[in-house]
Amino acid sequence: MYRAIKVRIYPTDEQETYLAQCFGNTRWLWNYMLNATTVAYKETGKGLSKAAMDKLLPGLKKEYEWLGLAYSQVLQRVTFNLSSAFVNFFEGRTKFPNFKSKHGKQSIQYPQNIKLLPEDSVIKFPGSLGLMKTGFHKTIPDAKFTTVTIAKNADGKYYASILFNQENEPVVAVREAIGVDLGLNNFAITSEGSKYDLPKKQLTKLEKNRKRKQKKLAKKTDKASKNRRKAKLLVAKVSSKIARVREDFLHKLSRTPGIRKPSHLCRRFGS
């Protein structure tokens, strides 16, 4: 059973510069390989396998020296993820892979050679990244972790998602099952008659704030201007706050007496 823990990380200015370079390198590599395998499929009827894409990496690093600034396994993870995306597409589980944009959320993955040091509030990454200040707000599971994904959200905040591989624990029912239904006037109603509502006042205030900032953003038509980038960042921060309020509500609701299945709850309610 896989379990992911998301923690806030605080890179230094130098680390932010390095991460920006890595985000750009992996984004470029993803788009290059996606285009290459699409062209190969049109010409031959077969796309590029992960092994074929990995064979292209040494030549690309020589041709584009800046590509080698990113940790080698981070680049290899791009080919792994793209290969998996094509497998999922051809098996009907997902849509065709899209080209990545420099706007919005950015991410890279480290598959190994990482040390978690919660007692020092840091994570040690391989290569040039090194030690990074981390807010461990949860107890780290006593299990092997497989990958660590570093992501930068549109609001400028950095997070690390740590994927653990745990042994399956048997689930024992402690009471009879109850039904949970989405309502129109209430967010959720159980078969026992309990009603649960979103924090409407807080969300309404935030939605009005976002709408006001979106109107200001719409007036700034010069996409290259600093004022537009600042206005876009303000919209992203409010949107992030709204998402965190909803996530916090679902998290607390999933631990309400009588409702103890957070994974089922998230799949039913959304986030």
Side-chain angles (χ1 to χ4, degrees):
M1 181 179 67
Y2 289 101
R3 176 189 175 189
I5 290 182
K6 186 177 180 181
V7 294
R8 180 84 180 272
I9 53 177
Y10 304 88
T12 62
D13 293 341
E14 292 78 9
Q15 287 173 330
E16 284 192 18
T17 301
Y18 177 75
L19 286 174
Q21 178 73 49
C22 292
F23 291 147
N25 288 9
T26 55
R27 183 176 62 246
W28 181 90
L29 182 61
W30 172 281
N31 292 340
Y32 180 91
M33 292 298 184
L34 175 56
N35 178 70
T37 191
T38 302
V39 171
Y41 184 81
K42 289 180 179 179
E43 293 178 350
T44 66
K46 293 182 179 180
L48 298 178
S49 64
K50 182 184 184 305
M53 288 188 282
D54 286 339
K55 287 182 179 180
L56 296 176
L57 279 176
L60 290 174
K61 287 183 179 181
K62 290 181 180 179
E63 184 176 357
Y64 306 98
E65 294 182 0
W66 46 265
L67 191 61
L69 295 175
Y71 188 59
S72 60
Q73 291 186 355
V74 169
L75 298 178
Q76 293 170 8
R77 197 67 185 177
V78 173
T79 61
F80 173 83
N81 290 336
L82 182 57
S83 177
S84 299
F86 273 109
V87 170
N88 290 331
F89 166 71
F90 285 112
E91 293 183 358
R93 290 191 291 268
T94 60
K95 296 181 180 180
F96 191 83
N98 293 322
F99 289 99
K100 293 185 180 294
S101 169
K102 65 179 181 180
H103 303 291
K105 184 177 179 180
Q106 307 292 320
S107 65
I108 57 175
Q109 283 187 338
Y110 284 85
Q112 58 184 5
N113 298 329
I114 296 172
K115 293 183 179 180
L116 305 181
L117 305 171
E119 63 278 2
D120 298 324
S121 297
V122 295
I123 296 177
K124 185 178 181 181
F125 292 93
S128 302
L129 196 54
L131 295 173
M132 186 176 296
K133 183 180 177 183
T134 308
F136 288 98
H137 60 284
K138 293 183 179 180
T139 302
I140 300 300
D142 185 16
K144 180 181 179 181
F145 62 93
T146 56
T147 60
V148 176
T149 303
I150 296 179
K152 179 185 179 183
N153 289 351
D155 60 358
K157 294 180 180 179
Y158 293 81
Y159 295 90
S161 296
I162 310 166
L163 185 63
F164 292 88
N165 189 0
Q166 294 181 307
E167 294 184 2
N168 292 332
E169 298 179 359
V171 178
V172 180
V174 296
R175 52 165 297 164
E176 294 182 359
I178 63 171
V180 182
D181 189 26
L182 298 176
L184 296 176
N185 297 325
N186 304 101
F187 178 80
I189 304 175
T190 69
S191 56
E192 297 177 338
S194 300
K195 299 179 180 180
Y196 303 93
D197 288 317
L198 284 163
K200 295 180 180 179
K201 289 185 179 180
Q202 185 180 11
L203 288 174
T204 299
K205 184 178 179 179
L206 289 170
E207 290 287 358
K208 288 182 178 179
N209 189 11
R210 179 167 64 177
K211 187 176 181 180
R212 183 167 58 250
K213 286 181 168 57
Q214 285 175 331
K215 287 183 178 179
K216 292 182 179 180
L217 174 62
K219 294 178 181 179
K220 296 175 171 50
T221 56
D222 184 4
K223 294 185 178 181
S225 69
K226 291 184 178 180
N227 288 334
R228 178 178 171 81
R229 287 199 295 269
K230 290 179 181 179
K232 191 174 181 179
L233 179 60
L234 292 176
V235 173
K237 286 183 177 180
V238 179
S239 299
S240 178
K241 176 65 175 178
I242 293 173
R244 292 198 304 273
V245 170
R246 290 179 176 274
E247 183 180 356
D248 180 69
F249 167 77
L250 288 176
H251 178 77
K252 292 176 179 177
L253 179 60
S254 67
R255 283 151 181 79
T256 301
I259 303 179
R260 296 290 186 181
K261 297 288 285 183
S263 58
H264 293 175
L265 207 65
C266 291
R267 283 199 292 269
R268 182 69 187 274
F269 292 159
S271 57

